[in-house]
Amino acid sequence: MHLPHQHGQLHHLPDDPAAYDAVLAGVTETALSRITPEGNLEHPAAREDIGDTSLGITSLLALAWHRTKDPRLPEAVRRGLAFHLRSRVFTEDNPGYPNLTVRDSGLPCARYVLQAGAHPVGDWPSTVWALLQAVNVLDAADGLVGEEQYRELLSVAGGYWRWLTEATVFNPQDAANQAIGCVVGGLMLARHLPPGDGAPVRERAMRLYADEIRVRRVQDRGALLPPEHGGAYDNNYGPISLSFLAQAHRVSGEEVFAEDGDTLARYIDARLCGSGFDIGGPRYSEQHSAFESVLGLRYFGHRIGADIGRYAGDSRWVRHAVGADGGLDGHFAFMLVWQIQDTTRWHRAPRTAPARHQLRSGTVTVTFDDRMTPSVMEVGGTALIAAAVNRQHGFGPVTDGFLLCRPMGAVRVADRRADGLAAKLVSKPVVGPDHVLRHVRSLYVTDGTRLWTTVIVERLDGKRHLLAGMPYVVADCHRFRRVGDFPLVASAGELRLTHPRERGPDFFDARTELTQQQAAFELAADPRGYGDPDAGWRHIRTTTALEAGPAPAMPEGLDVFAVRYGTPATEPLTVSCERAGEGLLLRSESFMAVLGPPDRQGEPRLTLSSPTH
């Protein structure tokens, strides 16, 4: 089976004007064949996320008219706009909506579900999306929309803004993508208002960003990030926030959006595998956005000089939202409008500067979590995620069932590149059940196709092994196929692939067709789509795992674990470790490394070379 939502790297999408003209031509023909006598442009089967969809297609038709001057489009735009103003603007309170701060305000809003009281919680983001579709139509109104319709739409857009910022709690779902989208709507609306009215709206938008969004940023992997549904980053929503930051910078020129976008972009670059695979999030572990992310990935990838467009998006939504039958849906159409208007091109080359939370070279990637423990390793087209033993998750030495990977003190990192090799040394103090402080040194070395992991720790008692990852997916053309084993691995000690003996929701056997996200949601506290899969996954007790025993003939008082990923086990792995003064000298068939004593600041010393030097 394949992961359902990761279909291919987004920067494979053409970004030239001709490609976008073809997209708009397809939208035009579908819309003209669909439009009802009332002017409705919605997908016939649309039931949710409906408050902005017809207006979204209207905005796409307005953009298409400016590019093609197709004579069929002005009438369709006016009819579509009339339908939205007449049938999709609600001024009465939605029964059951829990976030009002002003009752019976009479201000307009959009609904997530048209039926009164059916699903009112989604009305806040739906109104943000409707505001964004509205300002895009206002931007394209010149020569297309009459003065009366323009004024009515401007009044509704202003009402949307006031409802979002005066009549309800701001950002009630704690979702930064929605909140930044609202700020973008205010910034774009302000440009259509007289100076005396527009300036306060712009000031209010900037104040909301500073006081309600920026101050609530969450730290992860050394970066301050806009929170998504209570967590630092979500695979589906994080890149969407990046797109909103790009648009905010484009329309306002305010440097704060560029700075925060650069930070988020570098974070995404550090956590993504070379193939674009990623996992984890407080709302979705594996669900990826697509066209909604393109603007941000392209805009900020260019700014920071990184190929973050390698993000593996959901190609079913490759250019615009679609219904269950694959047909055009106008939801989130503002993102397609903006990416067509933006002329930034994809940056497809990797950054070469070392990143603390990543080691990347060629087809090999190791991404590290906040504790500098690998969260994903990708070698030979296969991604291994952190395994679990006794409800402890990570990569690291295990002694009598206790995983030594959680730091008790400062984690130090050294990066080196030499002779075609790239390496990262991670040194962390850890404490076991015996309360003894041990220093775990993990060296990761790659030549761009293979990865050597060598972990050194003071001699452990009892049964001991290295928890060396769980094989999870393999790149299969443009998709990711679930796997339960990994033949391209060798160890200097005994190597085994183990699977949970027990059955149940808190045991994960990679040989089954269950995905990580499905298992995580089953253990989450709330229903799927509202629970926290990251929290659910933390309840997993045991997973499939590669386990490597200690290498033989190592220096007295040390356990050394050595694993090579990327070549078959039939090619023997030989690793030697010997004391060299106060440090250690490691040799393998492909590299030599000296782990010296810490420098005066306590930072680890690492020297790297090929074995012939």
Side-chain angles (χ1 to χ4, degrees):
M1 62 170 293
H2 291 89
L3 297 184
H5 296 287
Q6 299 190 37
H7 288 247
Q9 299 183 351
L10 290 179
H11 66 200
H12 289 160
L13 291 171
D15 55 1
D16 58 279
Y20 283 124
D21 284 338
V23 173
L24 289 175
V27 169
T28 294
E29 297 308 320
T30 298
L32 293 179
S33 66
R34 173 189 295 173
I35 191 167
T36 68
E38 295 79 18
N40 189 348
L41 288 161
E42 294 162 359
H43 187 288
R47 295 292 180 269
E48 299 177 345
D49 276 320
I50 200 168
D52 70 303
T53 60
S54 182
L55 189 59
I57 295 180
T58 300
S59 73
L60 289 172
L61 295 181
L63 177 63
W65 180 79
H66 280 283
R67 292 170 72 92
T68 66
K69 293 300 188 286
D70 185 331
R72 301 174 296 170
L73 294 179
E75 178 62 21
V77 168
R78 293 167 194 144
R79 287 170 59 197
L81 179 54
F83 170 79
H84 178 83
L85 294 171
R86 181 178 62 250
S87 302
R88 293 296 179 262
V89 178
F90 294 86
T91 55
E92 69 277 6
D93 294 349
N94 197 350
Y97 185 71
N99 301 311
L100 290 175
T101 57
V102 178
R103 293 179 57 83
D104 301 319
S105 68
L107 293 171
C109 66
R111 287 188 178 174
Y112 177 75
V113 174
L114 295 180
Q115 181 184 352
H119 196 326
V121 174
D123 288 0
W124 200 87
S126 289
T127 303
V128 174
W129 313 149
L131 169 60
L132 294 171
Q133 313 283 26
V135 292
N136 279 343
V137 174
L138 291 171
D139 282 353
D142 188 30
L144 187 61
V145 173
E147 181 69 18
E148 183 177 348
Q149 271 196 324
Y150 177 89
R151 290 297 171 193
E152 186 177 359
L153 179 61
L154 182 60
S155 175
V156 167
Y160 285 155
W161 170 254
R162 290 188 59 201
W163 187 86
L164 290 164
T165 60
E166 298 176 18
T168 76
V169 173
F170 184 80
N171 190 20
Q173 294 183 19
D174 192 20
N177 74 95
Q178 300 172 8
I180 304 171
C182 181
V183 167
V184 172
L187 293 172
M188 295 182 70
L189 172 66
R191 302 186 304 180
H192 289 275
L193 299 172
D197 297 329
V201 171
R202 180 186 171 102
E203 290 169 7
R204 173 72 167 147
M206 294 303 300
R207 195 162 59 249
L208 285 169
Y209 184 73
D211 298 343
E212 298 291 341
I213 301 171
R214 202 162 194 263
V215 297
R216 300 178 189 273
R217 289 177 298 170
V218 178
Q219 186 167 14
D220 184 49
R221 309 186 195 194
L224 285 172
L225 307 171
E228 294 297 339
H229 293 277
Y233 181 82
D234 184 279
N235 283 324
N236 186 40
Y237 296 109
I240 296 176
S241 276
L242 192 66
S243 288
F244 282 127
L245 287 169
Q247 182 66 3
H249 187 241
R250 290 182 67 238
V251 301
S252 73
E254 295 285 349
E255 193 61 24
V256 65
F257 299 122
E259 293 172 359
D260 292 352
D262 288 350
T263 297
L264 179 53
R266 292 191 184 100
Y267 171 88
I268 292 173
D269 184 36
R271 71 175 289 148
L272 281 184
C273 291
S275 66
F277 173 75
D278 191 16
I279 198 164
R283 181 75 178 269
Y284 294 109
S285 292
E286 296 175 331
Q287 181 165 319
H288 277 44
S289 51
F291 82 97
E292 314 100 308
S293 303
V294 165
L295 174 65
L297 294 170
R298 201 171 65 193
Y299 189 84
F300 284 105
H302 180 80
R303 278 184 56 92
I304 69 169
D307 60 336
I308 58 175
R310 69 185 187 276
Y311 180 88
D314 191 334
S315 59
R316 295 172 301 179
W317 285 38
V318 66
R319 293 298 194 184
H320 48 69
V322 299
D325 61 355
L328 171 68
D329 190 306
H331 178 52
F332 248 67
F334 48 83
M335 283 294 190
L336 178 56
V337 171
W338 299 341
Q339 64 170 279
I340 292 174
Q341 293 171 336
D342 181 54
T343 57
T344 306
R345 307 304 294 267
W346 285 116
H347 183 98
R348 295 186 172 94
R351 290 174 73 209
T352 56
R356 177 180 173 89
H357 291 87
Q358 181 197 68
L359 174 66
R360 183 184 178 202
S361 177
T363 59
V364 174
T365 312
V366 185
T367 69
F368 297 85
D369 63 18
D370 221 23
R371 306 175 304 185
M372 286 306 298
T373 297
S375 57
V376 183
M377 293 179 172
E378 184 176 74
V379 187
T382 297
L384 299 93
I385 65 176
V389 56
N390 293 338
R391 203 166 272 154
Q392 304 161 96
H393 296 237
F395 289 71
V398 176
T399 174
D400 286 335
F402 188 87
L403 175 61
L404 296 168
C405 77
R406 293 173 296 282
M408 181 68 72
V411 180
R412 314 289 184 126
V413 177
D415 284 278
R416 296 291 182 271
R417 290 181 181 262
D419 300 335
L421 301 168
K424 186 183 293 286
L425 174 61
V426 178
S427 177
K428 64 171 73 171
V430 299
V431 175
D434 56 5
H435 301 285
V436 173
L437 183 70
R438 292 176 171 85
H439 292 271
V440 176
R441 285 174 287 181
S442 303
L443 177 66
Y444 307 88
V445 181
T446 178
D447 61 1
T449 59
R450 298 169 293 177
L451 172 70
W452 291 265
T453 299
T454 308
V455 178
I456 303 166
V457 63
E458 291 90 343
R459 182 65 57 89
L460 301 170
D461 298 323
K463 295 180 181 179
R464 59 203 193 277
H465 64 267
L466 179 72
L467 195 65
M470 178 180 77
Y472 185 60
V473 292
V474 63
D476 184 11
C477 211
H478 296 302
R479 299 191 65 182
F480 296 97
R481 177 170 48 83
R482 285 276 286 104
V483 294
D485 61 4
F486 184 46
L488 303 179
V489 62
S491 171
E494 179 187 1
L495 180 68
R496 57 189 176 270
L497 180 66
T498 65
H499 304 283
R501 296 178 182 177
E502 300 88 345
R503 293 290 179 265
D506 52 349
F507 298 94
F508 190 85
D509 190 329
R511 296 171 298 181
T512 69
E513 293 194 349
L514 192 68
T515 69
Q516 186 267 0
Q517 178 171 290
Q518 290 170 329
F521 270 124
E522 190 169 352
L523 294 171
D526 296 306
R528 187 188 184 285
Y530 297 95
D532 182 342
D534 275 3
W537 183 251
R538 286 193 288 271
H539 291 295
I540 291 286
R541 182 182 297 277
T542 304
T543 66
T544 291
L546 283 168
E547 299 178 354
M554 290 295 127
E556 184 178 356
L558 294 179
D559 272 329
V560 178
F561 305 90
V563 179
R564 183 191 63 219
Y565 306 84
T567 52
T570 53
E571 298 182 25
L573 170 62
T574 57
V575 172
S576 67
C577 177
E578 58 189 72
R579 297 190 187 277
E582 296 183 65
L584 293 173
L585 173 63
L586 293 174
R587 294 180 186 269
S588 80
E589 72 275 16
S590 296
F591 72 89
M592 183 169 65
V594 178
L595 281 58
D599 65 16
R600 294 181 61 128
Q601 287 74 45
E603 298 299 324
R605 301 177 193 260
L606 172 63
T607 303
L608 177 71
S609 65
S610 68
T612 58
H613 286 190

